[in-house]
Amino acid sequence: MTNLDFRSDTVTQPTDRMREAMASAVVGDDVYGDDPTMNELREYAAELTGMEDALYVCSGTMGNLVSVMAHCARGEGVLMGVGSHTWKNEAGNVAFIAGVMPYPLDDASGLPTLESIKASYQPVGNVHNANTTLLVAENTHNSAGGLPAAAGPFGDVASLAHEMGMKVHVDGARIFDAVAFFGNDIKDYTRQVDSIQICLSKGLGAPMGSIVCGKREFIGRALRHRKAVGGGQRQSGIAAAAGLVALREMRGRLVEDHQNAALLAALVADIGFEVEFVPRRTNMVYFKTGPKFSDAASLADRCRGRGLLIGPAGTDRVRMVTHVGVDENSVRSAVEILKDINE
Ligand SMILES: Cc1ncc(COP(=O)(O)O)c(C=O)c1O
């Protein structure tokens, strides 16, 4: 990996500690429930989140899908933000695999608005509609600039959904960025919801995998759905070993990513790009390509030619993400390249 890869926090290499843990992991057949390292990861994740049980899945997408499948029957509805990853970037899987109808929420400000929850809600018992039995909230919110939601407003959303009779699932791909930002505890979020999906392979730096946490009975159903979608793996303790290092050792350094992103945002703005304002910045910086570049792909191509990788995020919008594989020097070098290209 070039050390100037800012496309995503998914591009990280496993740390030496992860590689050592993977090489020495004691493993068994996890579909039989026999993998001790996997079982340790599940127990650790459940304890960390204060939830009854946890399940390893291959990816964040699989974690969100099996959660929707475990919460909703076919023909029911799920409320999701139109800017959310589950709505935009998971191949429409809740519709075409789970048989669940997605209904849109306004989540431009990161959290779904209470008004849009009330407007999109489809009551149970109405034979005309796909009854909405689940709400999904993303925290941090990727397309809103990596925006973290504080436990208070997040709780207002969860409480409203519960009062209306819905369950609440969190796409917490980057929940530990929210925790690092506010200096709070993940339980401040998990105690307010029914399930959460947490990516091990983003800011936490593991090479693969996600964890789904929730009540024991819910996890039992999710386990069956994981099998149905082909996510039952055998000696997956190899992956769990890296996941344990990620959860135990990598949460504490996420604030460095946030500091680097704040510096990046300031420097990119200084050289004339229009950086999107976010009131609380974690590890992402979105900005407009500007007058010199007609579209995001052409700017990204020019950067690639200079050894800098950035992510197109729409026609005239690009994203740069900080992570364990880039430091302050990488940020400064990246901005130098952007400056040259834009002159
Ligand atoms: C907010 C969010 N949720 C879920 C996912 C899906 O994770 P995966 O790529 O592991 O399927 C991503 C991936 O970038 C994401 O940004």
Side-chain angles (χ1 to χ4, degrees):
M1 182 181 79
T2 159
N3 63 352
L4 293 181
D5 193 344
F6 285 85
R7 287 171 299 172
S8 176
D9 48 10
T10 58
V11 301
T12 53
Q13 295 285 310
T15 63
D16 291 345
R17 290 268 309 118
M18 288 177 190
R19 289 181 188 274
E20 283 159 21
M22 292 169 86
S24 60
V26 181
V27 296
D29 188 327
D30 181 50
V31 176
Y32 292 158
D34 281 352
D35 190 307
T37 311
M38 183 55 81
N39 293 339
E40 188 183 342
L41 174 66
R42 290 181 63 176
E43 276 162 32
Y44 182 72
E47 188 190 315
L48 188 65
T49 56
M51 297 187 106
E52 276 180 16
D53 204 353
L55 179 69
Y56 175 88
V57 286
C58 306
S59 66
T61 301
M62 185 181 281
N64 290 329
L65 174 64
V66 299
S67 297
V68 171
M69 292 171 90
H71 282 305
C72 304
R74 290 181 77 79
E76 289 185 346
V78 56
L79 298 184
M80 295 176 173
V82 289
S84 71
H85 199 273
T86 44
W87 180 279
K88 294 197 305 186
N89 298 117
E90 300 189 2
N93 60 13
V94 299
F96 94 83
I97 299 178
V100 172
M101 168 98 174
Y103 284 91
L105 299 177
D106 170 4
D107 63 345
S109 63
L111 275 177
T113 62
L114 303 182
E115 296 69 37
S116 71
I117 295 172
K118 290 177 194 155
S120 283
Y121 173 69
Q122 310 294 322
V124 172
N126 183 331
V127 293
H128 302 282
N129 307 331
N131 308 147
T132 44
T133 52
L134 177 67
L135 178 143
V136 178
E138 186 174 309
N139 193 11
T140 63
H141 195 291
N142 183 341
S143 76
L147 197 63
F154 180 85
D156 294 341
V157 168
S159 300
L160 176 65
H162 284 147
E163 277 160 28
M164 296 173 92
M166 292 181 275
K167 298 271 196 260
V168 178
H169 170 72
V170 189
D171 179 358
R174 298 182 180 83
I175 191 70
F176 284 114
D177 282 286
V179 170
F181 183 89
F182 291 109
N184 56 10
D185 191 303
I186 188 170
K187 296 190 186 83
D188 296 335
Y189 299 104
T190 51
R191 73 167 66 95
Q192 315 204 55
V193 299
D194 302 281
S195 59
I196 187 166
Q197 178 280 118
I198 303 166
C199 288
L200 302 168
S201 62
K202 299 202 164 56
L204 299 181
M208 65 197 97
S210 280
I211 286 286
V212 174
C213 304
K215 285 214 160 35
R216 191 154 292 120
E217 203 216 336
F218 161 83
I219 292 294
R221 290 196 302 276
L223 174 68
R224 186 160 186 279
H225 293 301
R226 185 186 75 171
K227 183 69 181 151
V229 296
Q233 294 180 307
R234 303 297 175 170
Q235 285 69 31
S236 42
I238 301 249
L244 276 164
V245 176
L247 281 181
R248 287 188 174 130
E249 299 178 12
M250 302 295 280
R251 288 180 283 133
R253 59 154 307 286
L254 292 172
V255 284
E256 285 172 41
D257 297 344
H258 303 178
Q259 284 157 4
N260 286 330
L263 176 68
L264 179 66
L267 296 180
V268 169
D270 279 353
I271 60 170
F273 285 100
E274 187 190 329
V275 174
E276 288 178 16
F277 170 75
V278 282
R280 299 175 295 281
R281 192 175 297 285
T282 56
N283 67 336
M284 297 186 181
V285 179
Y286 282 89
F287 55 98
K288 294 274 182 278
T289 51
K292 185 160 176 201
F293 290 91
S294 54
D295 64 281
S298 62
L299 175 58
D301 278 353
R302 280 292 299 281
C303 290
R304 181 180 283 272
R306 296 283 309 272
L308 168 64
L309 304 182
I310 65 174
T315 45
D316 65 344
R317 186 183 192 219
V318 289
R319 185 185 73 167
M320 292 177 73
V321 184
T322 53
H323 51 79
V324 65
V326 292
D327 58 12
E328 185 184 331
N329 288 334
S330 325
V331 167
R332 293 189 185 281
S333 307
V335 174
E336 279 307 309
I337 293 170
L338 277 169
K339 187 173 174 218
D340 276 3
I341 285 172
N342 204 37
E343 258 164 16

